[in-house]
Amino acid sequence: MPLPASLISPEPPGWRDRKRYLWLFSTIMPGMVGLSWLCVFFLGPSAFWWLGLVLVFVIGPVLDYLGGADTAGPPDGALLALEKDPFYRWATYLYLPCQYLSLAFACWLWAGGGWLSMSTVDKLGLMVAVGIVGGCAINVAHEIGHTNQRTEKRLSKIALAQCWYGHFPVEHNHGHHVRVATVEDPTSSWLGESFYAFLPRSVGGRVRTAWRLEARRLARRGHSPWSLRNEVLTAWPMSLALYAGLAVWFGPVVLPWLIGQAVVGICLLEMVNYMEHYGLRRQKLPNGRYERVRPAHSWNSNSVLSNIFLFHLPRHSDHHANPMRPYQALRHFDEAPELPAGYAALLPLTLVPPLWRRLMDHRVVAHYGGDIRLAALPPNHPLMAHNETSPGRKVPAHAR
């Protein structure tokens, strides 16, 4: 893709995006692989192979806290110019070459390159770092994939190939965004549900939903789902070709580590997804339809560092209320429920169900004014019947 003649457009009159060049810092994430190698090579301790994990889940929360929150956003008059500015799109594209350079470098290290002796524990630490890069790449693909442009859809699949998640755009755009915060959405977590119960439900649900959506789309056009017109079937072979190519180039020894990093990347994505809608539910109207998606149906976070490195993914409330709005134009809404900390601090807590529930359950109940029946209860919960609109039950005014 040729670089636009004018990569950087003038700022909208009367307003300036203070984060404009900070988005480029997202490329630091793939740099963790090379940084780990440099630290081990020049400083010696093999513990530096775990530097990626420490940077994201130890140093990251501290910097998130120190950076504070930023609720500022672009005014209405600046949105159009901001959305058309090509600089922001190229900031996301830049992640992809960095992503694949780090993956190739990691394969070289796993295969015995780098002039360093690596133990199994060392390779495991490197695997986690590469998986974090891949998990963040899914988020980049998520941003690029919210478009109707064929080139960007292809770039999205390339970003997803590392973690075998090529079916994600189909399920996310046409499944999750339609059914978010409803009983029918397997990727919206329930109140009281642990991450370990949510993970298989979400991963399996994504695959089934993506396949059904593509099969239905192709059937309407008179085509079989078993064809290259199927977006799912054209995505998975890219991962197969990538892994096969890396195994041929660096040797089959890299395959277990490639599979391991994919698992880490998928788990990282699903940990984020678990947080984003935990316990939130759209109510059914008397006509049987769900209320429209609003900022109140997604957890929001204005933590500066997490937003910069994840292209405003923590401003998830606006993203779901306005799914075609690009990351640079996402804004804060007062009605959106606010997470108590940034993503970097909260992600590890999702792995400890008692701590997570202690932190979040009362916030869910408070969001619904103390009426737990309005929350996303598990299907077998005794109060689940009250999630549906029934005679004599008052429907919230905002949902009508």
Side-chain angles (χ1 to χ4, degrees):
M1 180 184 296
L3 192 68
S6 177
L7 180 60
I8 302 177
S9 301
E11 296 286 353
W15 182 82
R16 181 167 186 167
D17 181 11
R18 293 180 299 172
K19 296 179 181 177
R20 182 180 182 89
Y21 299 105
L22 294 180
W23 303 116
L24 300 176
F25 280 97
S26 63
T27 56
I28 291 176
M29 201 68 71
M32 294 188 305
V33 175
L35 180 62
S36 296
W37 177 79
L38 287 172
C39 288
V40 175
F41 188 81
F42 288 106
L43 301 178
S46 61
F48 280 112
W49 290 118
W50 291 87
L51 183 61
L53 186 68
V54 173
L55 285 174
V56 173
F57 296 116
V58 178
I59 298 176
V62 174
L63 295 178
D64 237 357
Y65 174 78
L66 294 176
D70 176 23
T71 60
D76 291 341
L79 288 180
L80 184 60
L82 199 59
E83 292 174 3
K84 289 185 175 182
D85 192 335
F87 170 83
Y88 296 97
R89 249 353 185 193
W90 283 93
T92 58
Y93 300 159
L94 186 60
Y95 189 93
L96 272 66
C98 298
Q99 169 195 356
Y100 277 95
L101 283 172
S102 71
L103 180 63
F105 187 55
C107 287
W108 181 58
L109 294 171
W110 284 324
W115 311 289
L116 294 169
S117 177
M118 295 182 69
S119 68
T120 301
V121 174
D122 297 338
K123 292 180 179 180
L124 191 64
L126 179 60
M127 182 194 80
V128 171
V130 177
I132 292 172
V133 174
C136 291
I138 298 177
N139 176 56
V140 174
H142 161 261
E143 176 59 35
I144 297 175
H146 273 285
T147 178
N148 294 320
Q149 295 184 25
R150 183 174 299 179
T151 300
E152 295 200 339
K153 285 185 176 181
R154 289 174 178 169
L155 289 174
S156 177
K157 289 181 180 180
I158 291 172
L160 293 165
Q162 179 177 336
C163 290
W164 281 81
Y165 240 46
H167 56 282
F168 175 81
V170 173
E171 181 279 328
H172 180 81
N173 294 347
H174 306 293
H176 177 61
H177 269 274
V178 174
R179 305 183 300 183
V180 63
T182 69
V183 178
E184 291 80 9
D185 183 25
T187 63
S188 293
S189 52
W190 306 324
L191 179 66
E193 182 180 28
S194 72
F195 171 72
Y196 303 102
F198 170 78
L199 179 63
R201 183 167 72 86
S202 183
V203 172
R206 284 189 193 279
V207 175
R208 290 190 297 270
T209 300
W211 183 264
R212 283 198 296 262
L213 286 169
E214 277 300 275
R216 192 180 307 156
R217 180 182 69 86
L218 292 170
R220 288 196 301 266
R221 301 183 180 185
H223 301 303
S224 167
W226 299 98
S227 71
L228 292 180
R229 295 182 177 90
N230 189 322
E231 295 289 338
V232 175
L233 288 184
T234 57
W236 288 339
M238 293 180 67
S239 297
L240 182 62
L242 173 65
Y243 280 39
L246 291 173
V248 169
W249 189 263
F250 296 103
V253 68
V254 303
L255 286 175
W257 303 110
L258 287 173
I259 294 171
Q261 66 82 29
V263 172
V264 172
I266 291 171
C267 287
L268 183 64
L269 168 77
E270 296 299 348
M271 288 162 69
V272 169
N273 202 57
Y274 173 77
M275 292 192 308
E276 288 171 337
H277 305 286
Y278 178 76
L280 302 180
R281 175 70 80 233
R282 286 158 62 196
Q283 309 304 314
K284 270 194 175 181
L285 305 175
N287 62 7
R289 294 177 177 271
Y290 285 104
E291 61 176 309
R292 63 183 176 84
V293 180
R294 296 181 295 107
H297 299 128
S298 307
W299 288 98
N300 187 70
S301 174
N302 287 304
S303 179
V304 174
L305 186 75
S306 291
N307 273 286
I308 289 298
F309 278 93
L310 294 174
F311 293 107
H312 263 165
L313 178 66
R315 285 197 173 175
H316 210 61
S317 299
D318 191 13
H319 169 67
H320 269 280
N322 301 282
M324 296 306 292
R325 181 172 290 172
Y327 71 93
Q328 68 271 20
L330 293 177
R331 297 185 288 182
H332 166 81
F333 285 91
D334 290 337
E335 71 167 292
E338 195 75 15
L339 288 170
Y343 277 23
L346 294 178
L347 282 172
L349 298 184
T350 64
L351 302 177
V352 189
L355 292 179
W356 175 257
R357 295 198 60 186
R358 184 181 181 89
L359 182 69
M360 292 298 299
D361 283 14
H362 70 93
R363 286 182 165 84
V364 174
V365 176
H367 178 61
Y368 290 108
D371 191 348
I372 194 175
R373 295 173 299 176
L374 295 174
L377 301 173
N380 59 351
H381 195 282
L383 293 177
M384 183 58 186
H386 294 278
N387 268 122
E388 307 291 330
T389 298
S390 56
R393 176 147 179 79
K394 183 180 180 181
V395 181
H398 60 68
R400 295 172 189 159

